[in-house]
Amino acid sequence: CLLVCSLFFLRSLKLVCASLRRQRFHTSGSHSKGRTAAEHLWLTRHLRDPFVKAAKVESYRCRSAFKLLEVNDRHQILRPGLRVLDCGAAPGAWSQVAVRRVNAAGADPSAPVGFVLGVDLLHIFPLEGATFLSPADVTDPRTIQRVRELLPGGRADVILSDMAPNATGIRSLDHDRLISLCSSLLDVAPDVLHPGGTFLCKTWAGSQSLGLQKRLAEQFQNTRTVKPRASRKESSEVYLLATQYQRAKGPVED
Ligand SMILES: C[S@@+](CC[C@H](N)C(=O)[O-])C[C@H]1O[C@@H](n2cnc3c(N)ncnc32)[C@H](O)[C@@H]1O
Ligand SMILES: *[C@@H]1O[C@H](CO)[C@@H](O)[C@H](O)[C@H]1NC(C)=O
């Protein structure tokens, strides 16, 4: 996913060049053939992908924008005036969507102005209406401290996480790492998320998915799984959407 995002255009360009070169020189040999087939598949899929085309037309930084647009169209999690914390925000497509939906750049003078704070390990290019904290690690307590200082009123109404570790290809390991990223974000929700707030996070389906869902169900009134159409069918990617944050059910301190 990181690859698809950050090398969005670079890779397709490189592959176009590579396939042109191959056509000219008719390289063969079973090794290079196998790689060519895989690359060719990626390239044709990438070029045919309607979401890739639409991302270019609407000038989103990454096709992943459409996943958030879809979740938002279905569940209305963003509206003018809300404060959004976007975790794993690079290259910034979700932040672009959030800025428009919460009116963070004040484009609609008649609607309340929201706030978007994006955080990532990688540098994020500036975006009008968004504040970026990068490079920064969301699992680092110092980052959370900065997040609380930067958010108006010290809290977000919506926490988004499209974070993903660099995939190793070992499915269960990647799953475990992503789940632990999500849970560390949930750990800081009492300090960062406004009561009544929303939590949306990317997961890769696996053995610990149910455990995370249970934890969410204890702290939010509503929890559901969402698989946007823009999420590639062959990936195990599933988003968990939890709304109406009530902190841990039961006795609440302070
Ligand atoms: C799939 S990309 C996000 C794409 C983004 N939603 C967009 O629309 O442009 C996942 C991002 O998560 C970031 N990430 C992974 N672990 C992180 C962590 N511990 N703290 C901050 N960002 C992290 C990666 O650097 C990567 O940029
Ligand atoms: C993934 O790898 C890149 C390049 O090695 C690195 O800059 C980045 O921080 C890594 N991301 C994660 C989530 O570990």
Side-chain angles (χ1 to χ4, degrees):
C1 169
L2 183 62
L3 203 79
V4 176
C5 279
S6 38
L7 303 181
F8 194 39
F9 297 115
L10 203 68
R11 172 138 191 212
S12 49
L13 201 74
K14 208 178 95 195
L15 290 184
V16 171
C17 296
S19 69
L20 284 177
R21 228 171 22 237
R22 269 190 212 98
Q23 271 176 13
R24 286 229 308 263
F25 296 113
H26 302 285
T27 48
S28 59
S30 63
H31 183 74
S32 88
K33 243 188 217 159
R35 225 182 67 202
T36 309
E39 286 184 354
H40 185 74
L41 192 73
W42 188 91
L43 183 62
T44 39
R45 202 183 64 185
H46 184 76
L47 293 178
R48 269 195 214 131
D49 188 330
F51 294 105
V52 171
K53 285 182 187 152
K56 282 179 192 159
V57 172
E58 306 201 18
S59 73
Y60 285 116
R61 297 180 181 186
C62 183
R63 77 189 277 295
S64 59
F66 295 95
K67 299 177 196 169
L68 180 58
L69 283 167
E70 223 177 303
V71 173
N72 191 52
D73 284 348
R74 267 194 254 166
H75 302 288
Q76 288 87 39
I77 59 177
L78 304 172
R79 59 171 187 278
L82 295 188
R83 297 160 294 175
V84 176
L85 173 62
D86 181 9
C87 300
W94 276 32
S95 289
Q96 287 180 294
V97 171
V99 163
R100 293 185 197 181
R101 290 295 185 268
V102 305
N103 196 34
D108 180 354
S110 65
V113 176
F115 187 85
V116 174
L117 175 60
V119 184
D120 205 289
L121 289 171
L122 303 176
H123 175 76
I124 317 169
F125 286 100
L127 170 70
E128 199 193 336
T131 303
F132 290 138
L133 190 54
S134 70
D137 185 343
V138 161
T139 63
D140 184 336
R142 285 169 301 181
T143 303
I144 298 306
Q145 188 51 43
R146 278 299 287 149
V147 162
R148 294 178 62 183
E149 288 162 13
L150 288 167
L151 287 169
R155 282 176 192 274
D157 302 294
V158 181
I159 294 180
L160 304 174
S161 169
D162 196 26
M163 282 194 287
N166 282 330
T168 61
I170 305 167
R171 223 177 153 113
S172 61
L173 178 65
D174 292 338
H175 163 76
D176 289 354
R177 286 165 131 193
L178 184 46
I179 294 286
S180 79
L181 262 181
C182 298
S183 2
S184 73
L185 194 54
L186 192 54
D187 289 341
V188 300
D191 297 327
V192 176
L193 188 58
H194 194 70
T198 299
F199 186 93
L200 173 72
C201 70
K202 186 224 290 288
T203 66
W204 289 321
S207 58
Q208 297 190 57
S209 299
L210 213 61
L212 178 60
Q213 259 169 274
K214 279 197 183 132
R215 257 194 91 193
L216 286 169
E218 283 163 15
Q219 302 182 32
F220 293 81
Q221 219 153 62
N222 261 298
T223 305
R224 66 182 86 219
T225 59
V226 195
K227 174 89 181 170
R229 277 182 308 122
S231 183
R232 297 186 202 275
K233 269 194 229 80
E234 64 277 16
S235 94
S236 66
E237 181 176 87
V238 178
Y239 288 85
L240 301 184
L241 173 61
T243 56
Q244 293 296 315
Y245 182 56
Q246 31 191 211
R247 300 184 166 209
K249 278 180 196 157
V252 179
E253 326 90 73
D254 81 295

